[in-house]
């Protein structure tokens, strides 16, 4: 039989080696699969006279919220006949 310290050290060594391998493999995969993007040349540089595009206000999301509730109710088998949705803008 193996001694207790040997078994403990082998277990710790196996776990440590496995964790280091996982870290190495995830780092390698993120490097290989990183999205290689070319900088967009349409972005104006600082000090240029081009106008900044205006930000549009979000539209009423009631249709979106009701669609999400319908999907959730269908998947979770919940009856939404007595549910009232109130949307307030902060």
């Amino acid at each position: 039989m193996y001694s207790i310290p040997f078994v403990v050290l082998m277990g710790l060594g196996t776990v440590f080696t496995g964790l280091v391998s996982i870290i190495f493999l995830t780092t390698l995969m993120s490097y290989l699969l990183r999205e290689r993007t070319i900088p967009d040349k349409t972005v104006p540089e600082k000090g240029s006279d081009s106008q900044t595009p205006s930000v549009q206000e979000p539209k009423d999301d009631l249709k979106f919220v009701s669609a999400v509730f319908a999907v959730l109710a269908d998947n979770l088998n919940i009856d939404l006949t007595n549910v009232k949705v109130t949307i307030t803008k902060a």
Side-chain angles (χ1 to χ4, degrees):
M1 291 304 278
Y2 296 107
S3 66
I4 293 175
F6 176 75
V7 172
V8 169
L9 290 176
M10 286 299 290
L12 289 173
T14 303
V15 170
F16 180 74
T17 304
L19 291 176
V20 169
S21 299
I22 290 172
I23 291 170
F24 174 73
L25 289 174
T26 55
T27 305
L28 179 66
M29 290 297 292
S30 68
Y31 175 75
L32 292 176
L33 298 176
R34 185 180 313 154
E35 185 177 338
R36 311 225 190 270
T37 58
I38 299 172
D40 191 11
K41 294 182 180 180
T42 60
V43 176
E45 296 179 7
K46 289 184 177 179
S48 65
D49 293 335
S50 64
Q51 293 181 346
T52 306
S54 62
V55 177
Q56 296 179 354
E57 290 293 324
K59 296 180 181 176
D60 188 17
D61 292 335
L62 188 57
K63 290 181 182 178
F64 176 73
V65 171
S66 59
V68 169
F69 271 93
V71 170
L72 287 174
D74 188 43
N75 287 332
L76 299 175
N77 296 326
I78 299 172
D79 184 26
L80 294 180
T81 55
N82 296 328
V83 174
K84 180 180 179 184
V85 179
T86 305
I87 299 177
T88 59
K89 294 190 178 189

